[in-house]
């Protein structure tokens, strides 16, 4: 399997090189040259399913036995034997709990594996990398946990100052490892993401520090998330609809890829909070940037969804130059439109979209608690609200439960009067000292900080 950039002018790479590169040198995102199929869906454990899904993407770069071992090691860190168990919510509506990993969010599913992939490849090559990443809360915590013991990796995570939950922040800033740094940026998540992309696009800086990425711009992140869509169809049987709380578009894109590979998924419902640029796009065929409003579901407080570029590339019949030009105009004008035939071919058959206000989010958390004695986090609540809008009798509906309610205890308590407790392995989180640095939204300042570390 070879990988091409969505912007058409970066070198074609193999899997291991794509993992280490993260972002393509032309600023694009790597995608496989073609989408393989997985038919029939294999039986076996979750790690065995994962290794089967990964096999065509990895090719000869990692042998099957090693890939299975890495998967078994990654998913042994999860607290539930099913890794991503499915629970019933209401008739025909199920939740897939993606939060049983070490940091209580769906990002663990990919990042526990990605840390091991990095370490395996770097050990073979006798190399080291510096990972720089941006987080709206969960990616940073999961990335740090995934690499904090890796001998070949240093990591710097940027997060928006005052715009992540206390639990999310402390899960990053209380890690006392010599290879970990966290930076609070005076700005939004989009500002953090722009800083990371700018560092990658600064070729001399990128090469001097051997930069790599763990955000969902890294293909392996998206690839790892494809697995649980196959697990869902395997468990529920037959055709399903899936609702995905969505910020950076990586998770729902993984569902689209699973569908391309043969998973029996009918509709993918994109669930947005008040920062509803994606919902508006799916309704109007036009993506128009507005300001980012802080909400109760901060991991979705995003306007520029990086992974949408991978779908746009497909919509443009894999024309990298066309995709690059569109995205350049989007950056200049804050607006991107697609043609009706593109929309009707690629979007209308598969995607649906809905939004939830903070009021809707609280009401959904409350109703789920009152009806089913279950606590859900605000992001999952956004998904449940959207799923209820699009549920159809006879088609199983699955909502991705993307975070443990204890990651957002203030919102859950506000809705239900009950404060969810952290699992035992995080019970002392608020007793630990924090280590972080606050910096302005300035590329030169951030690059100087990164250069001075390690």
């Amino acid at each position: 399997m070879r990988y091409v950039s969505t912007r058409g002018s970066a070198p074609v790479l193999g899997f291991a090189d794509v993992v280490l590169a993260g972002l393509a040198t032309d600023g694009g995102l790597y995608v496989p040259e073609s989408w393989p199929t997985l038919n029939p869906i294999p039986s076996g454990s979750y790690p065995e399913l994962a290794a089967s899904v990964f096999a065509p993407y990895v090719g000869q770069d990692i042998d099957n036995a090693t890939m299975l071992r890495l998967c078994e090691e990654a998913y042994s860190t999860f607290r539930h034997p099913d890794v991503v168990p499915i629970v019933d919510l209401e008739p025909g509506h199920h939740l897939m709990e993606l939060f049983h990993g070490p940091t209580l969010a769906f990002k663990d599913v990919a990042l526990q594996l990605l840390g091991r992939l990095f370490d395996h490849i770097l050990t073979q090559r006798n190399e080291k990398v510096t990972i720089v990443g941006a987080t709206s809360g969960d990616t940073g915590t999961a990335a740090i946990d995934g690499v904090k013991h890796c001998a070949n990796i240093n990591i710097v995570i940027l997060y928006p100052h005052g715009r992540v939950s206390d639990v999310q922040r402390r899960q990053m800033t209380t890690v006392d490892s010599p290879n970990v740094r966290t930076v609070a940026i005076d700005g939004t998540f989009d500002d953090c993401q722009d800083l990371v992309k700018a560092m990658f696009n600064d070729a001399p800086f990128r090469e001097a520090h051997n930069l790599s990425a763990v955000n969902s711009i890294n293909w392996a992140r998206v690839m790892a998330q494809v697995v649980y869509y196959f697990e869902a169809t395997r468990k529920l049987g037959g055709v399903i609809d899936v609702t995905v709380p969505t910020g950076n578009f990586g998770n729902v894109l993984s569902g689209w890829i699973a569908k391309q590979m043969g998973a029996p998924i009918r509709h993918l419902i994109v669930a947005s909070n008040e920062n509803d640029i994606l919902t508006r796009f799916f309704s109007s065929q036009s993506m128009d940037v507005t300001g980012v409003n802080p909400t109760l579901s901060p991991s979705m407080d995003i306007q520029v969804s990086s992974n949408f570029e991978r779908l746009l590339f497909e919509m443009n019949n894999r024309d990298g130059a066309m995709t690059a030009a569109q995205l350049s105009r989007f950056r200049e004008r804050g607006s991107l439109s697609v043609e009706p035939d593109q929309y009707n071919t690629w979007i209308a058959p598969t995607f649906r979209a809905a939004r939830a206000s903070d009021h809707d989010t609280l009401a959904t958390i409350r109703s789920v608690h009152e009806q089913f004695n279950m606590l859900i986090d605000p992001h999952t609540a956004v998904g449940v609200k959207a799923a209820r809008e699009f549920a159809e009798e006879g088609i199983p509906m699955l909502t991705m439960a993307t975070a443990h309610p204890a990651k957002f205890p203030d919102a859950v308590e506000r809705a239900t009067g009950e404060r969810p407790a952290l699992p035992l392995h995080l019970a002392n989180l608020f007793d630990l000292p924090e280590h972080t640095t606050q910096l302005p939204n300035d590329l030169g300042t951030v690059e100087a900080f990164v250069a001075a570390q390690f």
Side-chain angles (χ1 to χ4, degrees):
M1 179 66 77
R2 307 289 287 171
Y3 291 82
V4 297
S5 168
T6 53
R7 302 192 189 181
S9 59
V12 176
L13 300 178
F15 176 77
D17 288 325
V18 162
V19 170
L20 296 185
L23 192 70
T25 53
D26 60 3
L29 309 185
Y30 276 109
V31 292
E33 283 187 324
S34 61
W35 300 113
T37 56
L38 186 69
N39 189 24
I41 300 173
S43 58
S45 66
Y46 189 86
E48 288 169 336
L49 173 63
S52 296
V53 171
F54 301 155
Y57 294 113
V58 173
Q60 303 302 309
D61 283 17
I62 303 176
D63 66 79
N64 292 339
T66 300
M67 195 71 242
L68 178 58
R69 174 179 60 80
L70 294 173
C71 291
E72 288 173 341
E73 290 175 0
Y75 299 121
S76 70
T77 65
F78 281 62
R79 300 183 312 283
H80 196 286
D82 291 343
V83 183
V84 287
I86 293 176
V87 300
D88 295 334
L89 183 62
E90 47 207 351
H93 187 184
H94 316 272
L95 298 181
M96 176 170 261
E97 295 180 342
L98 303 178
F99 51 71
H100 290 281
T103 73
L104 314 184
F106 81 98
K107 309 292 176 71
D108 286 324
V109 179
L111 286 163
Q112 284 296 311
L113 176 69
L114 186 56
R116 288 164 172 80
L117 282 174
F118 266 112
D119 227 22
H120 172 76
I121 295 167
L122 291 168
T123 298
Q124 285 193 318
R125 298 183 177 194
N126 194 28
E127 295 178 11
K128 290 194 172 187
V129 297
T130 297
I131 289 172
V132 291
T135 187
S136 54
D138 289 334
T139 289
T141 60
I144 288 169
D145 193 89
V147 307
K148 65 185 179 184
H149 299 305
C150 294
N152 303 304
I153 303 170
N154 295 317
I155 186 167
V156 180
I157 293 292
L158 313 184
Y159 64 94
H161 179 62
R163 290 180 180 239
V164 300
S165 78
D166 289 344
V167 172
Q168 288 175 313
R169 188 191 73 250
R170 282 183 164 274
Q171 282 184 299
M172 293 186 282
T173 61
T174 59
V175 175
D176 189 14
S177 293
N179 65 331
V180 173
R181 301 288 186 274
T182 62
V183 180
I185 295 294
D186 294 328
T188 67
F189 167 72
D190 287 332
D191 295 326
C192 296
Q193 190 161 249
D194 285 344
L195 286 167
V196 169
K197 288 184 176 180
M199 281 186 272
F200 274 89
N201 289 326
D202 181 346
F205 183 82
R206 175 177 180 162
E207 292 166 14
H209 300 284
N210 206 14
L211 296 190
S212 196
V214 291
N215 282 60
S216 51
I217 58 176
N218 192 308
W219 161 252
R221 274 278 308 275
V222 175
M223 178 190 78
Q225 293 169 178
V226 172
V227 180
Y228 49 71
Y229 288 91
F230 278 104
E231 174 76 345
T233 59
R234 192 168 74 161
K235 287 276 183 67
L236 294 175
V239 177
I240 64 171
D241 288 346
V242 186
T243 299
V244 189
T246 304
N248 218 19
F249 204 72
N251 199 0
V252 72
L253 179 75
S254 297
W256 180 86
I257 293 167
K259 184 178 169 77
Q260 307 315 299
M261 295 178 67
I265 296 168
R266 185 183 66 153
H267 293 153
L268 291 162
I269 295 105
V270 176
S272 300
N273 64 19
E274 293 173 12
N275 298 291
D276 60 349
I277 186 169
L278 290 171
T279 303
R280 287 183 279 114
F281 168 77
F282 288 117
S283 301
S284 68
Q285 305 168 36
S286 180
M287 189 174 287
D288 299 300
V289 173
T290 58
V292 177
N293 299 314
T295 73
L296 297 174
S297 45
S299 298
M300 299 156 64
D301 291 348
I302 297 171
Q303 284 292 295
V304 181
S305 301
S306 287
N307 267 287
F308 185 78
E309 180 169 337
R310 286 184 163 112
L311 182 62
L312 185 65
F313 181 62
E314 302 290 340
M315 294 168 68
N316 290 335
N317 292 315
R318 296 191 150 225
D319 185 328
M322 179 179 177
T323 305
Q326 273 183 305
L327 291 166
S328 177
R329 289 195 298 272
F330 180 51
R331 281 291 182 188
E332 292 169 7
R333 304 173 187 174
S335 181
L336 183 153
S337 297
V338 299
E339 297 299 321
D341 63 324
Q342 291 178 301
Y343 183 88
N344 292 331
T345 300
W346 294 96
I347 300 298
T350 298
F351 290 97
R352 304 290 183 267
R355 76 186 292 276
S357 66
D358 275 356
H359 174 80
D360 297 328
T361 300
L362 291 169
T364 303
I365 295 171
R366 188 177 304 114
S367 76
V368 168
H369 183 246
E370 289 173 350
Q371 293 174 44
F372 310 109
N373 196 30
M374 180 189 296
L375 297 178
I376 59 173
D377 92 288
H379 305 78
T380 304
V382 170
V384 168
K385 192 257 185 184
R388 286 170 165 173
E389 286 184 39
F390 285 98
E392 289 184 31
E393 191 170 346
I395 304 288
M397 173 65 78
L398 180 73
T399 296
M400 293 301 186
T402 52
H404 192 289
K407 291 204 82 164
F408 304 93
D410 293 342
V412 175
E413 185 176 32
R414 182 173 159 191
T416 66
E418 184 173 332
R419 192 168 185 85
L422 285 164
L424 284 177
H425 75 284
L426 291 173
N428 68 337
L429 184 65
F430 282 81
D431 300 325
L432 300 172
E434 294 189 73
H435 316 274
T436 194
T437 302
Q438 188 173 343
L439 293 177
N441 177 22
D442 176 75
L443 179 62
T445 303
V446 175
E447 285 190 337
F449 174 84
V450 173
Q453 306 306 305
F454 316 114

